[in-house]
Every structure is written in C-alpha cells, then in structure tokens.
Amino acid sequence: MTVWDRPEPPTPPVPLDRERIVAAAVALADEGGLEAVSLRKVAARLSAGPMRLYGYIATKEQLLDLMLDEVHAEILPEEQPGDWRAALGALAHRTRQAALRHLWLADLLGGRPTLGPNGLAVTEARLAALHGLADIDTVMRAVETVSAYCTGAVRREVANLRAERATGLSKRDWQRAHGPHVTRMLATGRFPALAEAVHDGSDVDAEASFTTGLDWVLDAVAAKIAPPPV
Amino acid sequence: MTVWDRPEPPTPPVPLDRERIVAAAVALADEGGLEAVSLRKVAARLSAGPMRLYGYIATKEQLLDLMLDEVHAEILPEEQPGDWRAALGALAHRTRQAALRHLWLADLLGGRPTLGPNGLAVTEARLAALHGLADIDTVMRAVETVSAYCTGAVRREVANLRAERATGLSKRDWQRAHGPHVTRMLATGRFPALAEAVHDGSDVDAEASFTTGLDWVLDAVAAKIAPPPV
DNA sequence: TCAGCGGGAAATACAGTGTATCGACATGAG
DNA sequence: CTCATGTCGATACACTGTATTTCCCGCTGA
C-alpha cells in the first residue's frame, strides 16, 4: 500500500477544559439565545462528541452556572470608586451593560444563587462599597434591595427589547404591532390610568429609565445608612 | 356479531377551552415546576391528544403567556386601599405570595411583557394607586421601580428557597451543605466583607427582608411624589 | 515483539420534547 | 344515501439531555 492509499491518521482529540467549554457555550448563547445552547452544539463547536463534556460538567444546569459566573467577570469594574454610591451605581450599570451584550443574562439573573468566584466577587464588591457605613444587617438589606432592583429592571428592559425585535420594528411601531390587542383593551375603558400613561407618557430611553429608578433606590439607601440629622 | 362482540363506541372527545388547558398547565407546573409542563402532559391530563391543543394555542410560548396571566388574577386584590402606599405594598406582597404558591411564577416574572387582561389589570392598579399624585412620567417611573424591585426580590427569594430544598435541608444546614465550597472561598480572604456578612449577619426571615426592601423603595417613591417642602 | 489491558473518547441508545403532516372518522348538506 | 368538510388522533421528524456500550490507542509486562 502506497502512502497515498494510506488514510490520514485520525486527528487526536483536541484538549478540552472548562474554560473552552464555557466560552463556546457563551458564544452560542450570544448568537442564538439560551435556547441555542445544547450540549451537542457546544461539543460540536469544540470538535468533540457530546458525552465528552460530561468529564467537565455533571449536568447542563452546571454549564449554565458556569456561564453565569463567566459574565459576572465582566461586571466587576477594574477599580472600585471610593464613593459608595458611585460604586453601587457602577456595578448596577455594568450589570445592565453585560446583559445588553449577552441578552441571555437576563434569563439567568436572579434565577440561581451566584456562588462562583466571580459571582462572589461581585457580591463582595457590593458589600464592600457600604462596609462600615452602617451595621452589617442594614448593609445586607441595602445590597439586596439594590440588586433586586437591578435584576428586575434589567429583565424588564430585555423583555421589552425582545418583544420589539420580535415584531422587527422600532419602538414606535411596536405598540402599533401589538396595537390590535392592546388598543382594543385600552378602548374598553377598564384601564384608564394605563390608557393615560400610554397616551400621555413620554417615551424615555431605557437607559435613562434604568438610571432614574436606580437613583431613587440609591436615595433610599442613602437615607438609611446616613439618617438625616434631626 | 353479538352485542358482546361489538366494541364500545369510542368516547367522544371531551370539550376543551383555553381555560381548561391553562388550568391543567398551571396544575402541572405547581406540582413539578415549569419543566414538568409539556404539551403532551397537559393534553393527557385533559384526555386529549397533544395536537388538539394547537387549536387553542399556536405555540408553547403562548401557553406560558396564558399561565402567567392566569396567576396575575390572584395578584389583584378584591378591593384597592385608597392609600397609595398600602395599595402598592399590597400588590407587591400579593405578587410574592402568588410566587410562593406557584414557584414557577418566579421563572416568568419580568421575563415577558404582561399584555393579558389580568396583567394589564395589575399594571392598571399600580398606576391607579399613584394617579394624580404626580405627573404621568414620574408615576410611570415609580411603578416601574417598585415592580422591578418586586420581580428581583421574588426571584432571589425563590432561587434561595429552591437551593435550600435541593439540599433537602433547613436553612441553617444549607450553608454547611454548600460549605465545602463557600467556606473554602471565604477562607481565601478574598471576600472579607462577604465573610463578615455571613459570619455576623443575623438571618432574618425572607418575608421581613422583602418587606424592608419594599419599604425603602416606597420611601423613595414617597420622596419623589411629595417632595419635602423646602 | 507481542499479549493483554486499562482508560478515555465516540457511538449508540433511550425516553422525552415541540411541532408538521397525514389519515380516518363523524357529522351535516344535498 | 352519498359526498364534502372539518376536526381529532396517530404518525413522523428533528432535536434534546443523559446512560450505556463499544471501540481503539497507547501502555505495561513478559
């Protein structure tokens, strides 16, 4: 048998590690959303068989955990401002920006405890921002409140953004797209306040809305950690 | 052929409507979480074939929309208190309670626009609570902020609750279950504030925590709709 | 140098999913 | 009685997460 007849030896399997797996999964999710992440596709992107992944993760849930922790690395600012308010605000804004880069983050935010190294680091940063400004319990309550707002606001924004994109139209046209239904509902007169809001409310952009609400919540925190001198 | 040989005529299909379908889906989700909801199982519970459902819904997503709207009916109080603060607080608390009755609600909250009749009614109630107390845009911002907090807080609470249940243990034992990991992480010294919080923080029950944060957010709203006389 | 073997990767298998398509049957019209 | 219609169930398909089996490559011992 000549060399030409001899088949190429099978390519040895590419080495794998958690990092590469998570990167592939994140890329997939960035392109097609969380539902585009399947173990088969992740493995395929790494030129591996599906079952190979089970050497690194025990279940798909764990892969999601790793993905969530991965993007938490993007949330941590390189250096933390000394001002607690700026620090908490920056963390919230960076969370929002991370979610706009990785829309699927909105699906995971708040959905599972963030116990990975980056998740813990973000929590640490939040707590550290307020450290010493009030007793521990107040600080914890404050961090939880700001985080909860952040989670909820980001989720709503992404949900609306997806709804707009699903109709493939601009924001103005959106209410016309869902108009047949919403308009009819509003016309029933059962939702007067809502009708007024839709009719008379000015549409502020999402970032401004997020910032406004965030400021309010931070105001509330400020009032608690430094009660006004009576 | 005798009567005895003749088979019973096939039972005519039970009549179906959206209401029954949604009820079956909700029951399934209550028992086994959202992942237990499959079109086949929903249909089976109604003694129908899976494809039968497609006469009433176009896609599984729509079924989830209907389920979400269904539980929003439980959130609406029978009568709304006149006090805006009590009204918004009641809506938030009822949302939380609904989520504790239907844990899967936490998975859907904030994840999609709530355009069904009950969802709109809840939004209407929120807006109505503040109607006239400030300009429309401020009212909208306030409602969005409170809702965002509510969504985030409920999601976090349910996520923690599930994590506890997954280990099958009480809250105290939980940190011992995840201890091997978390404890090791805290021991690295990279998370001093977090370590202090875990060590010195008193564990308040979830409802109190929710209420505290909610009160802070409502305080913030109060400050905006009735600015302190200068 | 060869036999056996151990381990890791791949292939196969399985139960289940959402949904498209097809076939049959019951019912109403002519 | 016959035929059309439209609704429902069965079937089909591509895909999922994961368990199990198979296979092959490189190593070790003789």
Side-chain angles (χ1 to χ4, degrees), chain A residues 118-164:
Chain A
N118 296 316
L120 289 181
V122 168
T123 304
E124 167 71 19
R126 287 181 162 133
L127 288 168
L130 289 173
H131 187 259
L133 298 178
D135 64 296
I136 275 284
D137 289 315
T138 303
V139 167
M140 288 176 67
R141 225 57 349 111
V143 166
E144 285 168 8
T145 304
V146 176
S147 303
Y149 167 77
C150 188
T151 296
V154 165
R155 266 176 80 82
R156 179 172 34 78
E157 178 171 346
V158 170
N160 289 339
L161 196 142
R162 280 176 176 151
E164 289 169 20

Side-chain angles (χ1 to χ4, degrees), chain B residues 37-41 50-51 54 59-60:
Chain B
V37 177
S38 85
L39 296 187
R40 281 171 167 84
K41 288 189 226 158
M51 296 314 289
Y54 283 89
T59 184
K60 188 185 181 181

Side-chain angles (χ1 to χ4, degrees), chain B residues 146-170:
Chain B
V146 177
S147 304
Y149 167 78
C150 188
T151 297
V154 165
R155 268 176 78 84
R156 180 172 32 76
E157 179 172 345
V158 170
N160 289 338
L161 196 142
R162 281 177 178 150
E164 289 169 21
R165 286 194 188 168
T167 71
L169 302 170
S170 75

Side-chain angles (χ1 to χ4, degrees), chain B residues 138-150:
Chain B
T138 303
V139 167
M140 289 176 66
R141 227 51 356 106
V143 166
E144 286 168 8
T145 303
V146 177
S147 304
Y149 167 78
C150 188

Side-chain angles (χ1 to χ4, degrees), chain A residues 38-41 51 54 59-60:
Chain A
S38 85
L39 295 186
R40 280 170 167 85
K41 287 190 234 166
M51 295 314 290
Y54 282 89
T59 185
K60 189 187 180 180

Side-chain angles (χ1 to χ4, degrees), chain A residues 11-143:
Chain A
T11 62
V14 295
L16 228 54
D17 54 20
R18 244 171 274 237
E19 203 174 342
R20 257 186 273 250
I21 294 175
V22 174
V26 166
L28 239 15
D30 286 348
E31 294 163 16
L34 263 198
E35 71 203 329
V37 177
S38 85
L39 295 186
R40 280 170 167 85
K41 287 190 234 166
V42 171
R45 188 168 275 233
L46 299 165
S47 315
M51 295 314 290
R52 189 112 175 264
L53 303 184
Y54 282 89
Y56 304 85
I57 55 171
T59 185
K60 189 187 180 180
E61 286 288 293
Q62 291 191 359
L63 178 57
L64 296 181
D65 284 340
L66 291 175
M67 291 171 67
L68 183 56
D69 198 65
E70 174 77 10
V71 290
H72 267 85
E74 298 178 21
I75 292 174
L76 268 180
E78 49 288 343
E79 71 185 75
Q80 190 125 235
D83 178 14
W84 69 264
R85 194 166 172 135
L88 282 188
L91 285 167
H93 273 108
R94 293 177 69 94
T95 301
R96 174 172 173 270
Q97 284 154 3
L100 292 180
R101 276 193 300 273
H102 313 284
L103 285 194
W104 49 273
L105 176 54
D107 300 319
L108 263 26
L109 261 190
R112 56 192 69 220
T114 55
L115 265 28
N118 296 316
L120 289 181
V122 168
T123 304
E124 167 71 19
R126 287 181 162 133
L127 288 168
L130 289 173
H131 187 259
L133 298 178
D135 64 296
I136 275 284
D137 289 315
T138 303
V139 167
M140 288 176 67
R141 225 57 349 111
V143 166

Side-chain angles (χ1 to χ4, degrees), chain B residues 30-31 39 121 149 171 209:
Chain B
D30 286 348
E31 294 164 16
L39 296 187
Y149 167 78
K171 187 179 305 186
S209 173

